[in-house]
Amino acid sequence: MSRIEDREITKQLQEGSLEALGMLYDRHRNLVYRTALAITGDVDTASDLLQDVFLRLYRFAERIDSSRPLEPWLYRMTANLAYTWVNRNKRWLFSLDDLGEWLIGAGKDTPLEMVEFKDDWDQVQNAVTKLPFPQRVVIVLYYLNDLPLQEIADILEIPVGTVKSRLYYGRIALKKNLGIGLFGAGEIHPGFNYKGT
Amino acid sequence: MNEDFDKFISVSLKNWTARHKIPPGGRLILLREIESPRPDKNSLSWKIWSFVKQYALEPENLQDLYDEWLWEPLPQSKSWYAHIAASWRLSH
């Protein structure tokens, strides 16, 4: 049902309907915003990427195959624009990291770092943003968006084996970043509340 | 163990992202941008900047200006502010 409606709205968009763009924005904004937010870890950047993705949807509407679902296109564009943003900010972020280490000394797990993490959700998001970009995108699409491996492969235009590999090494890096190995076998995090209440 | 880990990561990411709401006015800003895309001098950003420059207003007055144009809070967008700030610096 939703797919068919998207198809019809996309056709209207291709005819230049701004109202159609607004309808698609209302329908898919959460998908784009949350994906951008999880990849970048920055609310302002996610807002900018949200605007940019839908601006491009309007500008490149004629190139979109309206017979196919729109979500993969939105995921792909979000990932591509986030990649550009991460690359642009990499140098700046690294220099800030260096400055931070210089200011607080070389030690890790300082009191300042400890209070930055309010709860498990913050720790997980922080660990995700430390992943190399290719692993980060796969982790977000898999865990946040619940996409199957084949669909992730189609969106990123990479073999499904590469998706599995990035997911595998992403998991290892996440566990390392989160210190999961510190806990007993089968126990993820003492006192973690899955319902998030 | 992987199932527990998967659930931990999935629930944490979903809850973290759900905690952050999309700033209001996004749809309106989007449609305005398309109707008057930058660097078109008819764009909203350009009009606001021109107004600021013409009347030598302080950046704090942007909220009042924006209220007058869109009747909405200022967009919480880094690039938008960067655009205004860069324009502001060029003009002074």
Side-chain angles (χ1 to χ4, degrees):
Chain A
M1 183 72 178
S2 174
R3 294 263 186 269
I4 296 169
E5 288 177 1
D6 267 2
R7 190 181 305 167
E8 290 170 358
I9 298 169
T10 302
K11 281 180 182 171
Q12 292 172 23
L13 178 67
Q14 289 171 333
E15 291 164 4
S17 167
L18 281 177
E19 182 58 27
L21 180 69
M23 289 165 69
L24 291 173
Y25 176 88
D26 285 343
R27 181 173 292 182
H28 298 293
R29 62 183 170 178
N30 281 323
L31 174 155
V32 172
Y33 180 73
R34 289 179 182 176
T35 303
L37 184 60
I39 293 173
T40 64
D42 185 285
V43 289
D44 293 329
T45 303
S47 296
D48 286 348
L49 292 183
L50 172 65
Q51 290 284 320
D52 213 1
V53 166
F54 281 93
L55 278 171
R56 283 163 193 261
L57 176 64
Y58 180 77
R59 286 174 190 156
F60 302 123
E62 287 180 6
R63 300 184 195 174
I64 294 172
D65 183 353
S66 61
S67 68
R68 303 179 70 177
L70 185 61
E71 284 98 335
W73 188 94
L74 293 171
Y75 281 127
R76 188 179 306 124
M77 186 56 70
T78 305
N80 287 344
L81 292 176
Y83 177 75
T84 304
W85 180 85
V86 167
N87 271 349
R88 276 185 194 156
N89 288 276
K90 194 180 284 178
R91 193 173 166 187
W92 182 76
L93 290 173
F94 277 135
S95 58
L96 261 190
D97 284 346
D98 293 342
L99 177 64
E101 281 200 6
W102 179 75
L103 284 172
I104 62 175
K108 295 177 179 176
D109 298 324
T110 62
L112 181 63
E113 283 178 333
M114 296 294 281
V115 296
E116 279 178 355
F117 302 124
K118 290 194 290 284
D119 53 36
D120 294 326
W121 307 345
D122 293 304
Q123 289 193 44
V124 169
Q125 177 57 40
N126 191 272
V128 168
T129 52
K130 285 180 178 172
L131 295 174
F133 189 84
Q135 290 176 14
R136 199 189 315 173
V137 171
V138 169
I139 289 285
V140 168
L141 294 179
Y142 185 78
Y143 287 114
L144 175 70
N145 302 112
D146 296 322
L147 297 180
L149 299 178
Q150 184 60 57
E151 194 167 340
I152 295 173
D154 293 341
I155 287 167
L156 301 178
E157 296 175 328
I158 54 176
V160 72
T162 306
V163 174
K164 287 179 183 175
S165 169
R166 290 179 185 177
L167 191 58
Y168 174 78
Y169 287 108
R171 275 195 187 110
I172 291 175
L174 272 182
K175 286 178 181 176
K176 186 182 172 189
N177 290 343
L178 291 165
I180 296 291
L182 296 173
F183 308 114
E187 186 178 9
I188 289 303
H189 203 301
F192 176 70
N193 183 349
Y194 285 117
K195 292 181 180 176
T197 53
Chain B
M1 181 162 179
N2 261 343
E3 283 181 12
D4 284 347
F5 178 77
D6 285 353
K7 192 171 182 181
F8 171 64
I9 298 298
S10 181
V11 171
S12 296
L13 268 183
K14 285 171 183 168
N15 283 331
W16 188 85
T17 52
R19 182 193 281 165
H20 299 89
K21 305 299 178 195
I22 298 175
R27 173 173 168 159
L28 189 55
I29 293 167
L30 173 70
L31 299 182
R32 292 263 182 172
E33 282 290 321
I34 287 172
E35 285 176 334
S36 307
R38 287 173 293 183
D40 186 339
K41 291 188 177 180
N42 289 319
S43 75
L44 183 64
S45 299
W46 184 272
K47 283 176 181 172
I48 291 176
W49 170 68
S50 300
F51 200 75
V52 168
K53 187 180 173 186
Q54 184 181 351
Y55 294 99
L57 297 174
E58 294 298 324
E60 287 78 8
N61 296 117
L62 283 174
Q63 179 67 64
D64 294 334
L65 283 171
Y66 212 81
D67 286 344
E68 196 174 332
W69 284 86
L70 283 178
W71 303 279
E72 284 192 5
L74 275 168
Q76 298 298 309
S77 155
K78 273 184 182 171
S79 66
W80 195 87
Y81 281 114
H83 173 73
I84 293 294
S87 305
W88 180 262
R89 279 194 296 275
L90 283 174
S91 65
H92 285 77

